[in-house]
């Protein structure tokens, strides 16, 4: 299973060093949480910071857009170096068009679902996506608790992907740590996003990643 280290939990005064430490510690992807203060309450950063993250690593840059009207920013994030761009189902009126646009720009396209949005809403878009992101907290903040009922939702998403023989990644985001990462792997997750468990670890990102791997047994 891949681990995507979320820079939302890093020390913003040392983003490049924190990313290098995560890369050295075996992170598979760098997860970039973009928040607009509208779709979610908080404001984080935009393409300029994504570009700085791009310069700091050769790992895939996994950009999670928690923004209303993401279409206006797709090109800027791909230009900044995003390898994957994920938009929220709840934020896109013309989701298919948005997904196709991301791919046209040369990135992989993901669709994220808030905890209360049903997997059933994915049926029509599933054949077009490279990644499904199941939010296991309400997006907007790091350090929240995992919503337990999301494990059943992940199993449903896994079954839906398998039913159409999709190779899309199944990513889960929010409240992931040593206590639940192995169960999420067993439920069919292929990419676990971890912010606090990596950058918030008392001994740093390298130790946080090692602890997650230890619990995964990999
Ligand atoms: C939440 C973000 C997450 C966040 C996860 O809105 O999408 O990526 O960084 O943080 P932790 O791992 O601390 O729950
Ligand atoms: Zn995220």
């Amino acid at each position: 299973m891949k681990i995507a280290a979320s820079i939302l939990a890093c020390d913003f005064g040392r983003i490049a060093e924190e990313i290098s430490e995560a890369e050295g510690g075996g992170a598979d992807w760098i997860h970039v949480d973009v928040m607009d203060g509208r779709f979610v309450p908080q404001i984080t950063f935009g393409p300029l910071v994504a570009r700085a993250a791009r310069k700091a690593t050769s790992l895939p840059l996994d950009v999670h857009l928690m923004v209303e009207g993401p279409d206006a920013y797709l090109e800027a994030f791909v230009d900044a170096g995003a390898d994957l761009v994920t938009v929220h189902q709840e934020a896109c009126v013309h989701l298919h068009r948005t997904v196709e646009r991301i791919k046209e720009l040369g990135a992989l396209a993901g669709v994220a679902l808030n905890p209360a949005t049903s997997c059933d809403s994915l049926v029509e878009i599933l054949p077009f996506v490279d990644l499904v992101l199941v939010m296991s907290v309400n997006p907007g903040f790091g350090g929240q608790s995992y919503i337990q009922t999301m494990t059943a939702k992940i199993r449903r998403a896994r079954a839906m992907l398998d039913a159409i023989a999709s190779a899309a990644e199944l990513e889960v985001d929010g409240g992931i740590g040593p206590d639940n990462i192995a169960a999420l792997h067993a439920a069919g997750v292929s990419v676990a996003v971890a912010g606090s468990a990596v950058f918030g670890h008392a001994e740093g990102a390298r130790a946080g990643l090692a602890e997650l791997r230890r619990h995964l047994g990999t």
Side-chain angles (χ1 to χ4, degrees):
M1 173 153 88
K2 296 184 192 73
I3 298 178
S6 168
I7 61 170
L8 186 64
C10 84
D11 175 352
F12 288 141
R14 324 172 33 246
I15 295 185
E17 293 96 310
E18 292 261 60
I19 291 175
S20 299
E21 192 182 334
E23 182 166 3
D28 297 283
W29 292 358
I30 298 299
H31 184 85
V32 179
D33 283 313
V34 178
M35 304 186 187
D36 66 349
R38 291 172 62 86
F39 183 72
V40 291
Q42 203 175 189
I43 298 175
T44 54
F45 36 68
L48 294 175
V49 171
R51 191 178 294 276
R54 171 74 294 156
K55 282 195 188 145
T57 182
S58 55
L59 293 177
L61 217 59
D62 173 31
V63 174
H64 176 194
L65 295 181
M66 287 162 274
V67 305
E68 280 181 12
D71 301 67
Y73 307 102
L74 300 176
E75 198 169 345
F77 280 103
V78 175
D79 271 2
D83 297 285
L84 300 102
V85 177
T86 296
V87 294
H88 268 263
Q89 186 268 6
E90 303 86 357
C92 296
V93 179
H94 304 290
L95 183 58
H96 176 267
R97 179 183 291 153
T98 304
V99 162
E100 292 298 286
R101 179 71 184 138
I102 293 169
K103 295 192 287 187
E104 234 173 67
L105 289 166
L108 297 173
V111 171
L113 298 183
N114 281 337
T117 306
S118 169
C119 276
D120 295 343
S121 67
L122 286 175
V123 172
E124 308 300 340
I125 199 66
L126 218 49
F128 301 94
V129 302
D130 302 299
L131 178 146
V132 169
L133 172 51
V134 173
M135 289 305 302
S136 42
V137 297
N138 289 292
F141 303 94
Q144 302 183 78
S145 300
Y146 180 84
I147 300 171
Q148 296 299 334
T149 51
M150 293 302 110
T151 310
K153 182 175 182 180
I154 287 157
R155 282 196 208 98
R156 278 200 297 280
R158 168 48 63 204
M160 288 170 73
L161 288 168
D162 290 350
I164 60 162
S166 169
E169 302 280 3
L170 178 53
E171 186 175 41
V172 62
D173 184 2
I176 296 163
D179 295 346
N180 56 12
I181 195 160
L184 292 170
H185 183 42
V189 168
S190 63
V191 186
V193 177
S196 312
V198 173
F199 295 108
H201 192 280
E203 286 150 43
R206 189 179 282 272
L209 284 157
E211 194 173 344
L212 291 174
R213 292 279 178 216
R214 210 165 32 249
H215 283 79
L216 273 174
T218 57

